[in-house]
Amino acid sequence: MSVLDELTNLELKILPILINNEKNEKGINIDNIIFQSGLKDIEVMRAVQWLSNKNLVTLNEKIDEFILLDVNGKEYVKTGLPEIRILNLIKDSEKSVSQLISEGISMEEINISIGQLKKNLSITLSKNDNNELVLFITENGKKFLQKESLEQKFLKKKFPLNINELLPEDKFAFDSLKKRKQIISVEIKKTITIFITENCKKISSDLSSVSNKIEKLTPEMIKSGSYKDKEFRSFDISSGVPKYNYGKKHFVNDAIDYVKKIFLEMGFTEMKGSMVQTSMWDLDSLFVPQDHPAREMQDTFYIKDPSEGKLQKDYISKLKKVHENGLFGLNKNEIDSRGWGGKFSEEIAKKNLLRTHTTVISAQTLAQLKDSDFPAKFFSVDKVYRNESLDQKHLFEFHQVEGIVIDPNANFTNLLGYLKEFFKKMGYDDVRIRPAHFPYTEPSAEVEVYIKETNTWIELGGSGVFRPEVVIPLLGKDIPVLAWGLGLERIIVPYFGFRDIRLLYNNDFKVLRHSKKWMM
Ligand code: PHE
C-alpha cells in the first residue's frame, strides 16, 4: 500500500498548497494554509499533523513574545505619560496635588509620577498652608522636558512589537514600563512553519491522479448505493491511537480462563469443591500422617467457628485402618504396606480448615466415581490457603492447577506427557522433573520449567501417581491415578515480567492498565 492510498481528504486539500509553495524556501505557515484552503484552523492543524506522521512534511515550531499596549498604554499614547504631563503643568509655576487633579490627572497617576520624577531629580516637594503636597520643577526637570524620554518614544512605536527585535534603548523603556500598571502586556505566540519533505516531492506528480475517496460510509450511501463506483481510503491500522482506560477483566482471571480452556480442550472435566474442608478430606484422605508438620497452625489456617465438620462413618473407618495399619489393615496383603502406626484420631480428622491444596478436590471427586466412569480426566483451577508470610515469592492465598487422570492403562510416562503438553501451551518449552516426596504419591515428582530470561529452572508444583493407600479407600480397588498440583501464580508471573509475585494482586492502577494482555 502506498502513502497515496492513505491520504485523507483533508490532506489532499492542503497538499497542493504546500507543493505550490515549494519555491518559497521559508516554508508556509498555518494561517496562510487556512487562508488558501478555506478550511477551519482545526482541520488544517490535523491534516498537517497527519502529513507529518506520514513523513511528508516537517514542522518548525517557533515561539515569539509580542508586546502589546494595555489600557493605560493606549491612553498615554494619546495624552502622553502622566509624569511628562505633570512636568509640563509645573514648568512655569509650582502646583499642588489638588490643582493637578483639577487638570485631569488622577491621584493614582500623580502618585506614580511623583515616584518617577523624584528618582530622576526632576522635582522637589514641599507642603502648603493646607498641609497639601506641592510640586516644584528643578533644573534637571526642565532639561528632561526638552528631549523626549525613552518611554515616551517607545509608546510611539507600532505594536505589537516582537521582543526579540527590540533595540537596546527600547529594551530599557520596555523594562521600565513593564513594571508600571497596565501600560504594556506581553503575549506569547506560537508560529508553525511547514516544509515539505523529499518524500513529498517524490509523490507530488502522482497527486493529481488521486481522487477524493470515501472515508466514512453513511446509511444514506448504503441505501442509494452511491458508494459503489467510488474508492475507499485506506487506513493505517498500525498508526498510534489514543489510549483508553476501559474496564476489563483482571489479567490473572484471563490467565485462569486460558488454563481452563487448555484442559477442556484436552478432554478434561472441571471439578469443584468447597474452600472449607475437614482435615479428613484435606489431609487424612491423602494419607498425610496425623503428626505431619504441615498440619501445624503455623502452616495451616484452621477455622474457629464452626471448628469441626462432619465425618463420613464408612470412609473414616477405612481411613483409620490404613493410617494405623496400612493396606494390611484393609486385608490387602499383596503390598508390604504397614501405615503410620499409633492411634488415628477422629478429633484431628474433624477439624475444619481452609483447604491447603486442591488435591482435596481430587480425593472428593474420586469418592464419587463408579467403575463405569473410567477412564476419566478431571482438572480444577482454584484457590488454596497457607499460613505463610507474604514475600516476593510467596502468597498465603493463591491458585493451584490440579489434575487427575484415572485410567487402568495410565503410567508415569503419560503423566510427564500431560505436564509437558500443558506447560508448552503456557509458553514453556523445557520441562523436567525431579524425584520428590508427597505422602499420597509413589512415585512422586517435582515439576520444573526453564526460564530463558534468567537462565534458571523454577519449581512450579508437585505430581505423582496416587498411592494405593489413597486410592483403595476411595475407589475400593487400586487403579492408576495420575495427579498433579501446580502453582498458578508462579507459572504466569514470568510472562508478565514481574519480579515480585505480589504485583499480581496489588491492584495498582498502573499495573492494571498497562499489564500485558494474556496470550489468548
Ligand atoms: N498437593 C501438592 C502441593 O500442594 C501437589 C501435588 C498434587 C503433588 C498431586 C502430587 C500430586 O504441593
Side-chain angles (χ1 to χ4, degrees):
M1 193 168 59
S2 94
V3 201
L4 283 171
D5 296 322
E6 285 176 20
L7 293 173
T8 63
N9 292 338
L10 285 179
E11 288 166 289
L12 286 171
K13 266 192 201 135
I14 71 165
L15 263 178
I17 299 173
L18 301 180
I19 291 164
N20 262 336
N21 182 69
E22 193 199 323
K23 297 132 257 148
N24 184 354
E25 279 176 7
K26 281 196 197 134
I28 180 166
N29 67 33
I30 296 278
D31 290 337
N32 196 341
I33 304 173
I34 295 171
F35 175 74
Q36 290 195 47
S37 65
L39 295 171
K40 295 194 195 97
D41 55 353
I42 177 87
E43 293 173 321
V44 172
M45 285 301 296
R46 248 192 250 148
V48 162
Q49 198 55 56
W50 291 333
L51 288 171
S52 144
N53 294 347
K54 294 191 177 86
N55 214 353
L56 295 176
V57 301
T58 54
L59 309 183
N60 188 341
E61 212 180 86
K62 199 169 140 238
I63 291 182
D64 282 308
E65 284 180 284
F66 287 96
I67 306 163
L68 299 167
L69 285 177
D70 208 337
V71 260
N72 291 339
K74 282 179 192 153
E75 179 69 19
Y76 301 155
V77 168
K78 287 184 243 151
T79 61
L81 284 162
E83 63 269 26
I84 309 291
R85 285 168 65 201
I86 291 174
L87 274 189
N88 273 319
L89 287 170
I90 61 172
K91 73 173 179 230
D92 296 326
S93 66
E94 75 274 11
K95 291 242 154 59
S96 71
V97 168
S98 57
Q99 283 172 315
L100 292 173
I101 288 175
S102 64
E103 295 280 355
I105 300 182
S106 75
M107 194 62 223
E108 200 182 349
E109 287 171 335
I110 293 171
N111 281 333
I112 296 169
S113 302
I114 288 177
Q116 291 293 38
L117 294 170
K118 277 197 74 182
K119 232 197 290 165
N120 59 29
L121 306 174
S122 296
I123 54 165
T124 53
L125 298 171
S126 72
K127 289 210 169 137
N128 65 12
D129 300 340
N130 297 332
N131 207 16
E132 204 190 350
L133 271 185
V134 181
L135 289 74
F136 297 86
I137 195 163
T138 61
E139 281 311 308
N140 249 341
K142 285 179 185 156
K143 270 191 229 148
F144 186 69
L145 259 187
Q146 266 147 37
K147 63 177 176 49
E148 200 171 29
S149 76
L150 292 174
E151 286 91 340
Q152 193 69 58
K153 257 196 214 153
F154 185 79
L155 287 182
K156 286 189 182 153
K157 296 200 161 264
K158 246 188 106 197
F159 292 92
L161 272 175
N162 190 331
I163 281 196
N164 292 325
E165 291 162 12
L166 291 185
L167 302 170
E169 66 258 34
D170 294 337
K171 181 89 177 64
F172 173 86
F174 167 64
D175 284 337
S176 134
L177 291 174
K178 189 168 67 175
K179 290 185 208 126
R180 294 174 61 175
K181 206 176 155 200
Q182 292 183 316
I183 298 181
I184 51 175
S185 62
V186 174
E187 202 177 81
I188 291 173
K189 208 176 159 200
K190 208 161 84 171
T191 19
I192 299 175
T193 313
I194 295 119
F195 298 87
I196 62 171
T197 62
E198 286 306 313
N199 276 349
C200 185
K201 286 176 198 163
K202 272 186 222 146
I203 63 155
S204 62
S205 56
D206 301 326
L207 209 56
S208 54
S209 66
V210 187
S211 56
N212 267 12
K213 293 180 179 174
I214 298 183
E215 304 194 305
K216 219 195 256 169
L217 204 50
T218 63
E220 291 73 34
M221 291 161 92
I222 297 172
K223 259 190 239 155
S224 69
S226 68
Y227 66 90
K228 280 182 186 154
D229 48 319
K230 296 242 172 64
E231 260 187 273
F232 287 86
R233 175 170 79 78
S234 311
F235 285 82
D236 176 6
I237 55 168
S238 65
S239 77
V241 290
K243 278 211 165 95
Y244 288 104
N245 293 321
Y246 52 90
K248 58 182 170 190
K249 212 178 227 176
H250 195 284
F251 51 90
V252 174
N253 290 336
D254 275 338
I256 291 174
D257 288 348
Y258 179 81
V259 170
K260 290 186 177 178
K261 209 172 104 202
I262 291 177
F263 283 106
L264 290 170
E265 281 172 0
M266 289 203 279
F268 282 70
T269 304
E270 186 171 0
M271 49 183 181
K272 283 276 175 194
S274 161
M275 290 197 194
V276 175
Q277 295 285 354
T278 53
S279 302
M280 177 192 80
W281 280 116
D282 194 86
L283 300 157
D284 297 319
S285 76
L286 292 160
F287 202 51
V288 177
Q290 289 199 318
D291 59 0
H292 195 282
R295 298 203 186 217
E296 299 290 321
M297 295 269 269
Q298 62 265 24
D299 290 309
T300 299
F301 291 114
Y302 285 93
I303 306 284
K304 226 186 209 164
D305 186 20
S307 63
E308 293 181 349
K310 269 230 289 283
L311 299 179
Q312 280 76 5
K313 250 199 178 159
D314 263 17
Y315 184 48
I316 202 77
S317 75
K318 283 182 203 157
L319 284 182
K320 188 174 163 65
K321 286 175 193 161
V322 251
H323 273 255
E324 287 175 2
N325 300 306
L327 294 177
F328 288 165
L330 294 175
N331 299 321
K332 309 233 177 233
N333 300 335
E334 52 277 17
I335 306 173
D336 184 12
S337 160
R338 291 154 191 260
W340 302 115
K343 257 209 125 359
F344 181 82
S345 153
E346 291 193 15
E347 283 312 303
I348 292 179
K350 270 190 219 164
K351 291 242 167 328
N352 276 332
L353 46 74
L354 284 178
R355 71 177 168 219
T356 60
H357 51 185
T358 40
T359 318
V360 62
I361 311 179
S362 297
Q364 287 171 334
T365 303
L366 289 177
Q368 307 292 318
L369 296 179
K370 303 180 295 294
D371 270 8
S372 56
D373 296 325
F374 310 142
K377 301 185 287 221
F378 296 93
F379 80 96
S380 73
V381 187
D382 267 311
K383 268 189 190 170
V384 300
Y385 304 85
R386 304 234 172 126
N387 196 354
E388 270 190 282
S389 39
L390 196 60
D391 67 27
Q392 194 171 292
K393 288 192 177 142
H394 297 89
L395 299 167
F396 49 76
E397 176 181 350
F398 57 96
H399 290 83
Q400 281 188 325
V401 179
E402 195 81 22
I404 42 172
V405 175
I406 313 110
D407 185 343
N409 297 314
N411 59 37
F412 193 70
T413 313
N414 301 146
L415 172 64
L416 248 178
Y418 281 115
L419 292 170
K420 284 206 161 146
E421 182 70 15
F422 168 68
F423 279 113
K424 203 164 150 196
K425 293 190 170 165
M426 295 301 284
Y428 297 102
D429 291 328
D430 297 314
V431 182
R432 73 178 185 193
I433 53 164
R434 292 208 318 200
H437 169 78
F438 300 101
Y440 34 98
T441 46
E442 181 58 38
S444 305
E446 235 157 45
V447 193
E448 294 188 334
V449 299
Y450 180 68
I451 310 286
K452 283 180 221 97
E453 291 72 28
T454 51
N455 184 27
T456 47
W457 290 86
I458 55 168
E459 195 247 294
L460 292 180
S463 67
V465 183
F466 276 158
R467 297 178 71 102
E469 288 88 343
V470 173
V471 179
I472 295 174
L474 288 166
L475 294 179
K477 60 175 176 183
D478 192 18
I479 297 183
V481 179
L482 314 178
W484 57 86
L486 318 166
L488 174 93
E489 283 79 358
R490 287 199 193 171
I491 299 175
I492 64 174
V493 113
Y495 175 82
F496 295 111
F498 298 160
R499 292 187 56 211
D500 188 326
I501 200 163
R502 290 170 293 194
L503 272 182
L504 292 173
Y505 295 117
N506 267 4
N507 288 336
D508 176 334
F509 265 130
K510 253 217 219 109
V511 175
L512 290 176
R513 282 176 181 156
H514 303 303
S515 70
K516 222 161 123 185
K517 186 97 186 104
W518 183 258
M519 44 169 124
M520 290 276 167

